[in-house]
Amino acid sequence: IQPPEKPLQPEEWNKLREDFQSPEIFEEVMLNSMIRCNSPIDVAKSLLTHLAKRNGDIAYSVLVKYLALCVQQGQVSEICDVYDIMKVRFKILENGAYNLLIKGLSNSGQWRMALTLLEEVKKIMIPSRTCYESCIKAASRHQDMKLAFELYNEMLAKDVVPTLDVLQSFFDFSRGMKDAELQKELFGILLYLRENQIYPHKTFMRSIKLWFESIPGGNWRGHLTSIKDSGQCPVCNHQLEDSNLTEEEYSNLSERIIRDVIHGADTFRKTSPQEFEAFQTFVENRLPFDIVIDGLNVSHIKPKKMQCENLFDAVNCLAKENVRLLVLGRKHMLINSSNWKREIMKQMQNKADFFFAENISEDDAFLLYATLRSGKHCKFVTRDFLRDHKACLSDSLTRHLFRKWQRGHQIALKKNGFPVFSQQPAFRYDCVVQTTGDTWHIPYKDVFEEKYSYRVPRKWLCIQQKL
């Protein structure tokens, strides 16, 4: 329905409602439409007044929709009025209403009221990311960076994951401030990016660069660059951290993964203990491998090609002299079909060892096991990010080592025309935010990506302090 352009009389609203095919949801549909068309607030108000007269009160869901329209238009006094009505009528509100109220108030001169509301929310639930971030941005806009960081740290402590947008806003609002405590907090955000292998996008990277260069008397200078294959930064000649784990780190990590992930609770959900035992025996008799390939995953890399051809191309690309390959397959690949040609499968089996699991098995555990048992040199190929397994590792140090190992050992296959694939090798240097105190190196992506990615960026921001 098209909302009216001006407020209506009760009889006009009644007429519209009667003509509507489902009168019982008329008000909600009408308000949704008003939100979409950004209707004048007095039109929506006339509908609410009519409703209150007709029914004696206004339903919660209708009030929330009206509130959404007020927030959309920044109608602060209306937001306050709706809140007063809701407070009296409903003991507690749900998440959606709190999100709207806090967002609406935090964008106004009444922003401190949003903080009071946030305290209320905390008594009944963990506030949502939206609630926290609205208050953080309000505090930052009013230059109360101490409060903004208190809220940010509290949010992290409650495992509420911040958006890149709010992290960027800290750098934007702190520009030009000379404050050692604030500087420490902002360095903390950079270390958070490191810890979680998050790559800022170009606009966020520029905010970081501008902040560094704006620190009074800081003498920081930023340059965009690409790191040499040797791991040396061409701008400051600094050598980046090595992506290799030490012997001790490697053995700790493989023990933990084999214990927590592979023999932990999650492996046998999709595979039987018998099958996994058979796989272990298979691997132990043929160790070590140089590259382990997730066959099913790689077979989907070019959707228009036959799956077995995709896998064949990948095996050919990786099968150099004396390189030992293990391909993790599925039993259905052995049945001659439109996607799996027996001839091509035979040719591949001359170039690589194959293990065919049941069709329902989860290959990540197999992939990790075979790669880790083969030793430090062994790489693996999958387009998955293996996030579930990182979650099974209980402490942050092991998670950090797992990510570092993954960055150094996961080979990405790129689809290029001819030859079919090129290997994006695992780097010798570690692709995460890093610092020596008077230098920072920050890898960044051209485009915004909310999710984690195993494809590491090739572009870096080098920031040096000239003392």
Side-chain angles (χ1 to χ4, degrees), residues 145-383:
M145 298 312 290
K146 190 168 179 294
L147 172 63
F149 271 109
E150 272 169 25
L151 292 169
Y152 163 72
N153 290 318
E154 183 183 299
M155 176 179 178
L156 290 185
K158 292 186 172 154
D159 284 331
V160 181
V161 178
T163 57
L164 293 190
D165 180 48
V166 86
L167 297 180
Q168 183 184 334
S169 74
F170 279 115
F171 290 91
D172 289 337
F173 287 116
S174 306
R175 222 172 277 171
M177 292 187 187
K178 193 179 169 92
D179 176 344
E181 204 43 50
L182 176 68
Q183 209 165 309
K184 215 166 89 188
E185 290 282 13
L186 287 154
F187 287 162
I189 291 182
L190 296 175
L191 295 173
Y192 172 81
L193 298 180
R194 171 189 169 91
E195 190 57 39
N196 293 286
Q197 192 181 327
I198 296 169
Y199 302 122
H201 47 84
K202 212 185 249 163
T203 41
F204 184 4
M205 175 276 296
R206 286 206 189 102
S207 294
I208 295 171
K209 179 177 182 291
L210 288 169
W211 171 71
F212 267 103
E213 294 176 341
S214 78
I215 299 170
N219 287 334
W220 291 95
R221 278 291 155 269
H223 296 275
L224 307 188
T225 185
S226 298
I227 303 295
K228 296 175 184 166
D229 287 342
S230 64
Q232 193 184 39
C233 169
V235 179
C236 64
N237 295 324
H238 177 73
Q239 187 67 32
L240 263 58
E241 292 172 34
D242 195 332
S243 65
N244 273 327
L245 303 186
T246 64
E247 291 298 337
E248 190 185 353
E249 286 175 332
Y250 182 77
S251 69
N252 283 346
L253 179 70
S254 50
E255 261 170 45
R256 282 296 300 275
I257 290 183
I258 286 170
R259 190 186 78 204
D260 295 3
V261 178
I262 295 173
H263 296 310
D266 83 333
T267 323
F268 301 125
R269 265 195 324 233
K270 296 190 184 120
T271 177
S272 67
Q274 294 79 1
E275 181 180 48
F276 199 72
E277 259 167 54
F279 174 67
Q280 283 176 295
T281 311
F282 173 90
V283 169
E284 297 300 328
N285 290 337
R286 290 170 179 77
L287 283 174
F289 295 103
D290 298 306
I291 301 175
V292 182
I293 302 166
D294 179 345
L296 196 61
N297 181 287
V298 169
S299 73
H300 289 289
I301 202 162
K302 283 187 167 180
K304 290 195 175 72
K305 277 190 86 158
M306 226 194 297
Q307 287 176 17
C308 64
E309 284 186 355
N310 277 332
L311 185 54
F312 184 63
D313 292 338
V315 167
N316 274 344
C317 161
L318 298 163
K320 308 281 185 298
E321 305 136 43
N322 303 327
V323 169
R324 303 218 31 237
L325 302 181
L326 168 62
V327 180
L328 301 173
R330 291 282 210 278
K331 289 198 169 149
H332 72 254
M333 295 177 178
L334 293 168
I335 301 162
N336 205 15
S337 66
S338 60
N339 255 319
W340 298 100
K341 294 279 175 255
R342 191 160 286 152
E343 265 318 293
I344 300 180
M345 289 304 291
K346 279 217 174 86
Q347 287 177 342
M348 272 193 275
Q349 284 168 280
N350 293 332
K351 298 186 177 214
D353 278 298
F354 270 75
F355 181 85
F356 295 98
E358 289 297 336
N359 295 327
I360 50 167
S361 301
E362 178 60 88
D363 352 34
D364 288 357
F366 290 77
L367 184 80
L368 288 171
Y369 183 81
T371 310
L372 288 163
R373 287 291 297 127
S374 291
K376 239 170 99 168
H377 72 289
C378 185
K379 307 274 195 279
F380 64 92
V381 184
T382 175
R383 295 179 304 147

Side-chain angles (χ1 to χ4, degrees), residues 39-61:
S39 298
I41 224 68
D42 55 352
V43 177
K45 220 172 171 174
S46 82
L47 173 62
L48 258 64
T49 312
H50 161 62
L51 248 182
K53 283 187 179 144
R54 196 188 70 209
N55 300 351
D57 70 357
I58 300 165
Y60 182 85
S61 56

